[in-house]
Amino acid sequence: MAGAEKGGINPDEERIVALIDMDCFYCQVFCRKQPELKGKPLAVLQYSDAIDGGSSAIAVSYEARKLGIKRGMRKKDMLAISPDVKTVVMPHHRKKADLTMFRAASCEVMAILAKHATVFERASIDEAFIDITANVKRMIGLPINKSKLHKTFVAGYEGSQEDQISKWSDHVSGCDHHSYDYKITLAAVYVNMIRDQILSETQFTCSAGIGANKIVAKLAAGTHKPDSQTMIPPDNIPALYQTINFTKIRNFGGKLGTAMQQELGIQWASELVNFTLSDLVTKYGDKTGQWIFNIARGIDHEPVKHRALVKQSACSKNFPQGIKSVDELNKWVLDLAEELEERLAFELADNKRVATQFTTHMRLGEGGSTSTQMPLVKCDLDHLVASANKCINKKLASRDGSYNDVIFMLSICAGKFVPAPDKNSIYTMLRDKESSKSNNKISIVKKDPGFADDVSERDKRPTLSGFFEKLKCDIPSSSRATSELSEPSTASTVYPEKSEECVKENNRNSWNSLSEEDTKLMLQPVEGSKTRCPVCNKPVLETKLAEHLDFHTALTLQRKIESELRSQDSTSSPKRKVPQSRKGSKKQKISAVQSKNIASFFKKI
Ligand code: DCP
């Protein structure tokens, strides 16, 4: 154990993190819709039998798992194991799995989590990290009742759940309220309360891991499923590691894990501690070596970042046989773009944000996996199609216009969301002006006999673009009419700590009852997360990005106006005689430039 950070606890930066992971999520969503499926062995199939000649399971209920049914099994193989297995098929739209129902269910859960954690990071459709350090701090002094630790396990302990909690409670009753073990127990009570609330409000069960950081919380969460939670006291990390294959640790699953398996010859997480820092740095470089060294000791500094919404919206399609023609490619580009446009319309309507970056990922026959990124000017269908085409052509089109590879997977993705700029913002106006210039210029993926070179026909079809145009966002507009251009502040809001009244001092170290009221601790606003400005690359609060972009636009405009005035000034022929009264002094000229600066521009608007 590294002295100052024994068991993953940095004394200066003590944290309590939980990972909440929904149990067999898609199965639960189906069961809520069709209650007759509840409690049955169930598998969610990707396709109906009619499509793609039989299908495999993408989610399997715990009742089915007990029978030996696993994700990835084909329907006929599952039925061979047990004819009682029920199957349901994913809903489809445009010949692709339609995740709408699951995304909506996920939002219900995430909304509950966001209410109860100081910092909340959505990690996937059914997983989120929460940093509950501040919530637990406010609970210090509260008594803990064993009954509030139902369905709670202690990593590193053996025996039944009741035995584990009994042994743990004996230990914690001797700990003072500054000890991490006492605090992690409060955290377990708190997370149990959140899980109960998720169940009562959504009917979904979930599991959780509670520990000092994201790595150990995630590992603990997987140890007791479903409908259970596991806390990992720092001193028990070595015991947990003895039971965990090291490739289960986040980031060790891919190429790095494979390389480590070969080079270090290890299997269990507990074996990582056998390598010195210099061994690891020599093999994997400074950064990765140090990171592995820390992980071996349960140390992970990565913060839970505030991210309540998805980072990006992606639509993808696999083509097991490869895309065979330009027609087929054009059709799929259009279909994926339509789906993405719908999703982005919801992002604008529900979350008042727009994507500013577009990425295309492809899996090719010879070229392997490749991705291309570009700024996204507007989130409407035409711009999405045009952006996809640009990316695809950049990677695939050879000089003679033919394609030099086969596409086996195509994914288009919009990300780098920023708050939707105010309708009247200068940024929006210029962006719209720019985008109207590019309208009607969108070419299909590749010229092909029988294909028009533009989207004029498609333009006639109703799209969601009108929705984007009409939708009014009530994001407050930034104050712009300022004659002295100063960059908007990027400082984050500081929220006051909760009052000490919330901390109950009585019954220290006792295992008396903890009321629901006690556990329903105060919610508090979360600090905003930052992003990088695409213009100056400075870190900016996401909520301030629109305002910050306005600042850049305003600066550019001001420079343009000044330069126009200067050139007017210089082109006014020096030979021409200008009446003295109209020439003006240098001071007057400067003030003329100033008077036509961005402030007066905004005033006109
Ligand atoms: N999913 C999918 N394709 C995959 C893996 C998962 O479509 N290859 C979907 C179905 C799952 C959901 O994502 O229900 C969440 O995935 P998880 O890996 O979290 O698995 P489950 O929630 O199904 O089960 P568990 O209880 O083991 O977490």
Side-chain angles (χ1 to χ4, degrees):
M1 291 279 152
E5 293 189 43
K6 186 178 176 234
I9 306 292
N10 176 345
D12 303 326
E13 206 192 306
E14 183 182 279
R15 295 183 291 147
I16 302 185
V17 172
L19 174 78
I20 311 290
D21 179 14
M22 306 309 294
D23 301 319
C24 56
F25 187 49
Y26 286 13
C27 292
Q28 289 206 76
V29 176
F30 270 106
C31 288
R32 186 172 70 170
K33 199 167 151 234
Q34 296 168 244
E36 69 278 9
L37 295 172
K38 214 163 176 180
K40 304 256 163 52
L42 175 70
V44 178
L45 300 177
Q46 207 159 2
Y47 305 105
S48 71
D49 285 348
I51 305 171
D52 282 7
S55 182
S56 53
I58 56 169
V60 176
S61 74
Y62 280 83
E63 291 80 2
R65 292 182 204 193
K66 277 186 201 152
L67 301 173
I69 287 163
K70 295 195 170 87
R71 177 182 289 160
M73 274 187 180
R74 298 215 161 247
K75 184 177 174 180
K76 60 175 173 34
D77 300 326
M78 292 188 279
L79 290 173
I81 292 175
S82 167
D84 296 335
V85 176
K86 308 274 177 234
T87 55
V88 284
V89 179
M90 284 291 286
H92 277 72
H93 184 49
R94 297 191 186 101
K95 289 195 183 169
K96 274 168 50 33
D98 179 8
L99 302 185
T100 312
M101 175 167 80
F102 309 101
R103 288 198 187 103
S106 168
C107 286
E108 291 175 44
V109 175
M110 300 295 164
I112 298 169
L113 291 178
K115 275 196 295 183
H116 290 295
T118 319
V119 188
F120 155 69
E121 178 179 333
R122 184 183 174 142
S124 74
I125 194 163
D126 78 331
E127 268 185 26
F129 288 102
I130 53 179
D131 185 323
I132 49 173
T133 316
N135 308 76
V136 168
K137 202 169 154 194
R138 284 183 238 123
M139 291 171 77
I140 289 175
L142 293 177
I144 300 166
N145 187 325
K146 266 193 252 189
S147 71
K148 302 287 174 191
L149 290 167
H150 54 282
K151 299 178 184 170
T152 303
F153 293 80
V154 185
Y157 279 15
E158 285 173 355
S160 68
Q161 187 268 329
E162 290 79 14
D163 287 349
Q164 292 190 14
I165 286 305
S166 186
K167 196 171 153 200
W168 180 252
S169 63
D170 289 347
H171 163 69
V172 173
S173 61
C175 295
D176 79 25
H177 288 176
H178 299 293
S179 72
Y180 194 83
D181 287 354
Y182 167 73
K183 290 182 211 162
I184 199 175
T185 315
L186 289 177
V189 171
Y190 191 61
V191 173
N192 243 349
M193 188 269 298
I194 297 176
R195 292 176 47 246
D196 285 348
Q197 191 173 347
I198 291 173
L199 180 62
S200 70
E201 291 186 16
T202 67
Q203 302 174 36
F204 301 142
T205 65
C206 61
S207 300
I210 304 146
N213 55 55
K214 286 159 91 168
I215 293 280
V216 294
K218 168 94 180 152
L219 285 176
T223 57
H224 292 95
K225 275 186 132 263
D227 195 18
S228 296
Q229 59 179 36
T230 307
M231 59 174 141
I232 168 78
D235 287 342
N236 295 15
I237 290 174
L240 174 72
Y241 272 18
Q242 277 176 13
T243 62
I244 289 201
N245 188 311
F246 88 98
T247 54
K248 292 264 179 282
I249 296 177
R250 245 166 120 229
N251 299 331
F252 287 160
K255 279 184 194 161
L256 177 62
T258 313
M260 285 168 67
Q261 224 153 9
Q262 284 161 4
E263 289 163 11
L264 308 178
I266 56 168
Q267 182 182 1
W268 304 105
S270 53
E271 294 173 82
L272 285 168
V273 84
N274 299 333
F275 300 89
T276 64
L277 181 59
S278 83
D279 279 346
L280 296 168
V281 165
T282 310
K283 282 193 165 65
Y284 305 105
D286 287 353
K287 213 171 149 194
T288 310
Q290 177 70 63
W291 184 77
I292 299 171
F293 183 82
N294 284 345
I295 296 301
R297 287 147 186 83
I299 298 165
D300 168 34
H301 296 298
E302 190 183 309
V304 177
K305 299 171 208 100
H306 173 60
R307 190 169 67 228
L309 303 171
V310 291
K311 257 174 124 176
Q312 53 189 34
S313 286
C315 303
S316 63
K317 174 78 185 159
N318 281 311
F319 306 97
Q321 315 301 325
I323 291 186
K324 297 219 170 54
S325 68
V326 174
D327 289 15
E328 196 183 346
L329 178 54
N330 284 325
K331 176 202 161 305
W332 280 111
V333 166
L334 187 57
D335 273 9
L336 292 175
E338 278 177 352
E339 187 187 339
L340 188 55
E341 187 196 33
E342 268 170 31
R343 304 249 305 270
L344 295 177
F346 283 119
E347 288 295 343
L348 181 56
D350 293 352
N351 304 320
K352 310 278 185 282
R353 59 184 194 150
V354 290
T356 60
Q357 190 177 66
F358 184 87
T359 312
T360 302
H361 297 281
M362 289 186 280
R363 200 170 60 245
L364 304 171
E366 286 170 8
S369 291
T370 171
S371 57
T372 316
Q373 237 166 31
M374 58 187 291
L376 184 60
V377 183
K378 222 175 166 190
C379 302
D380 64 17
L381 182 65
D382 289 344
H383 283 82
L384 295 173
V385 171
S387 305
N389 290 346
K390 232 180 192 168
C391 293
I392 294 169
N393 281 334
K394 195 171 163 199
K395 285 283 172 191
L396 281 188
S398 42
R399 284 200 179 161
D400 63 2
S402 64
Y403 280 148
N404 49 26
D405 213 332
V406 182
I407 300 173
F408 288 96
M409 189 279 294
L410 175 62
S411 152
I412 62 172
C413 167
K416 283 217 166 165
F417 283 98
V418 298
D422 184 273
K423 262 281 185 191
N424 300 319
S425 103
I426 186 90
Y427 174 68
T428 312
M429 286 188 290
L430 292 189
R431 191 195 61 175
D432 287 351
K433 203 172 146 206
E434 268 313 298
S435 67
S436 69
K437 274 195 233 160
S438 64
N439 269 346
N440 303 320
K441 275 198 216 161
I442 297 158
S443 62
I444 56 164
V445 170
K446 198 179 113 189
K447 286 182 195 175
D448 201 33
F451 263 81
D453 196 19
D454 62 27
V455 288
S456 49
E457 276 312 302
R458 198 174 59 234
D459 280 346
K460 290 175 193 157
R461 294 180 306 129
T463 73
L464 287 169
S465 322
F467 176 84
F468 278 107
E469 299 298 334
K470 282 186 211 117
L471 203 107
K472 278 197 181 137
C473 305
D474 47 11
I475 300 275
S477 71
S478 45
S479 60
R480 300 180 191 82
T482 166
S483 55
E484 277 180 22
L485 283 179
S486 58
E487 190 172 355
S489 158
T490 57
S492 43
T493 319
V494 177
Y495 298 102
E497 274 287 302
K498 279 285 170 189
S499 87
E500 285 300 307
E501 290 157 24
C502 304
V503 179
K504 298 198 174 162
E505 289 297 331
N506 56 337
N507 289 328
R508 281 172 181 257
N509 289 335
S510 66
W511 287 81
N512 298 337
S513 77
L514 179 63
S515 73
E516 283 305 318
E517 270 320 294
D518 288 336
T519 52
K520 281 184 187 152
L521 289 167
M522 305 65 65
L523 313 176
Q524 77 175 32
V526 284
E527 205 181 320
S529 59
K530 288 188 179 176
T531 183
R532 291 225 169 244
C533 166
V535 180
C536 66
N537 204 33
K538 278 189 191 165
V540 183
L541 267 183
E542 279 178 359
T543 49
K544 293 272 178 191
L545 187 60
E547 192 180 348
H548 182 89
L549 286 170
D550 275 3
F551 163 74
H552 282 298
T553 314
L555 258 190
T556 311
L557 264 180
Q558 178 162 341
R559 282 186 198 126
K560 205 171 155 196
I561 291 166
E562 284 174 0
S563 120
E564 274 172 18
L565 281 173
R566 263 187 236 110
S567 70
Q568 275 169 21
D569 199 35
S570 62
T571 51
S572 57
S573 168
K575 287 169 202 153
R576 227 174 25 171
K577 283 219 162 190
V578 180
Q580 197 61 35
S581 59
R582 282 175 56 204
K583 250 198 222 170
S585 64
K586 193 176 173 192
K587 207 170 161 190
Q588 279 170 319
K589 274 182 215 154
I590 293 169
S591 79
V593 172
Q594 278 173 349
S595 70
K596 213 175 174 192
N597 72 5
I598 198 67
S600 58
F601 179 85
F602 279 122
K603 275 175 201 149
K604 265 194 256 166
I605 293 170

